[in-house]
Amino acid sequence: MPELPEVETTRLGLEPSVVQRRMLGAKIRVPRLRYALPPRLDAKIKGHRVEALERRGKYLLLRLDNGTIILHLGMSGSLRVVDCDSSPALHDHVDLVFSGGLCLRLRDPRRFGAVLWTSEDPHEHRLLRDLGIEPLTPAFDGDYLFSRSRGRRLAVKSFIMDSHIVVGVGNLYANEALFVAGIDPRRAAGRISRVRYTHLARAIKRVLRDAMAKGGTTLRDFVNGEGAPGYFRLHLRVYGRAGQPCHRCGRRLKSARIGQRSSFFCDRCQR
DNA sequence: AGTGCGGCCTGTCCGC
DNA sequence: TGCGGACAGGCCGCAC
């Protein structure tokens, strides 16, 4: 599922194909994904040039010279560069068409993704302006997590999945990082020490970087801009492995529901 | 303010 | 074999 490594993998793969191209328009085949699609998007972007493809959290920002298309892949979305004349498959909901016969094609079976338009600063968009810190920046560290978590009683796993605290850490990587840090995911966020948060911040960075180096994680739908899956699934330590042995101690891994999300951990290695 | 939950959506899997 | 129902999940919006 697209979390930060998958979105960044997508961005890196697409960037050279789209930057500096001129938009011919948009073909929209569904009325709405998570939100209604922007009215008259085709007319808004026609003739305008792509200046950059950026990422903020799990949002992709296609910066045009007159505004920004904000994209979110939800949980089943993928973006590919394809020949515009190729016929769309099932769930290929949106084409962003470039001059030269190429287009960015958004496939999203579960329609939890989003396509938005803004002519203002996208970082001031309602959905982006209150996002938390980027995990792969120096400012994201144990001190940050420690100070933001004081007084919070929710589970530490839910805390690090809160995009208003830190972006890009979804269910899969939260499970993996907590295992690497040796922290029980059920523990209250406000009752974890500064030194343990230092371990956790490092674990999050390490897990995200490792996943990106493997092209992200493909459980079912995810493919990168060239249509290839990611291979981090082969390196998952706990996610989806309930009942199988812990790679560290051999004990059977446990599963539990935490904040309505399936969670996997070793109750010997994680305290 | 913090917390938890419902809802959106489709594909897959399980039990009857 | 067919069918209903549970589940998966990001994240907004709402209620307490």
Side-chain angles (χ1 to χ4, degrees):
Chain A
M1 61 215 68
E3 300 183 27
L4 189 145
E6 292 74 31
V7 178
E8 182 63 14
T9 295
T10 298
R11 189 193 73 76
L12 283 167
L14 297 178
E15 186 175 42
S17 306
V18 304
V19 171
Q20 294 304 336
R21 287 198 187 272
R22 196 170 288 281
M23 307 295 312
L24 288 187
K27 292 180 192 161
I28 293 174
R29 289 180 282 270
V30 292
R32 64 178 298 124
L33 296 171
R34 182 181 173 90
Y35 308 103
L37 273 87
R40 299 178 300 283
L41 181 64
D42 181 72
K44 281 168 176 153
I45 66 176
K46 191 171 290 186
H48 291 277
R49 190 186 304 276
V50 179
E51 294 183 334
L53 180 61
E54 299 171 5
R55 180 187 59 75
R56 172 72 174 113
K58 298 179 193 171
Y59 291 92
L60 285 169
L61 309 176
L62 191 69
R63 298 269 208 163
L64 309 188
D65 58 35
N66 66 330
T68 303
I69 301 171
I70 301 173
L71 300 155
H72 196 292
L73 300 178
M75 68 162 288
S76 63
S78 59
L79 276 170
R80 300 178 62 177
V81 175
V82 299
D83 183 334
C84 225
D85 295 330
S86 65
S87 48
L90 186 65
H91 305 309
D92 284 345
H93 301 313
V94 177
D95 284 353
L96 301 174
V97 185
F98 302 100
S99 60
L102 292 180
C103 73
L104 255 191
R105 184 162 283 173
L106 174 65
R107 177 176 301 177
D108 186 5
R110 297 185 197 177
R111 302 194 200 177
F112 278 19
V115 178
L116 303 156
W117 168 260
T118 179
S119 52
E120 313 284 314
D121 177 359
H123 296 287
E124 294 303 315
H125 189 280
R126 189 177 60 84
L127 297 175
L128 276 71
R129 96 191 139 200
D130 296 322
L131 288 177
I133 198 167
E134 289 284 338
L136 298 179
T137 57
F140 178 70
D141 61 12
D143 288 345
Y144 172 78
L145 287 176
F146 180 77
S147 62
R148 291 296 302 267
S149 61
R150 291 310 89 184
R152 304 289 302 266
R153 297 195 296 202
L154 84 171
V156 61
K157 175 161 175 276
S158 302
F159 174 69
I160 61 171
M161 287 174 65
D162 182 348
S163 63
H164 300 98
I165 301 296
V166 53
V167 294
V169 182
N171 195 41
L172 191 154
Y173 296 112
N175 278 298
E176 295 298 306
L178 285 160
F179 175 81
V180 170
I183 296 172
D184 188 318
R186 300 166 292 188
R187 183 176 282 274
R191 297 185 154 239
I192 291 175
S193 69
R194 189 185 296 267
V195 65
R196 301 197 83 201
Y197 270 124
T198 300
H199 295 320
L200 181 55
R202 286 188 188 138
I204 290 170
K205 289 174 197 270
R206 178 176 156 197
V207 166
L208 295 178
R209 287 198 180 107
D210 284 355
M212 274 190 274
K214 305 277 191 305
T217 302
T218 297
L219 294 179
R220 177 161 301 146
D221 299 304
F222 175 73
V223 290
N224 67 19
E226 288 84 46
Y231 297 99
F232 193 67
R233 183 182 189 171
L234 303 170
H235 301 267
L236 294 178
R237 296 163 173 94
V238 291
Y239 185 85
R241 297 191 61 244
Q244 297 176 46
C246 170
H247 289 324
R248 187 165 165 269
C249 78
R251 191 181 174 89
R252 284 159 54 91
L253 295 172
K254 300 280 192 296
S255 65
R257 299 288 287 181
I258 302 173
Q260 319 303 110
R261 292 288 171 263
S262 52
S263 307
F264 305 91
F265 56 95
C266 175
D267 64 3
R268 181 181 291 166
C269 296
Q270 294 175 256
R271 300 289 176 146

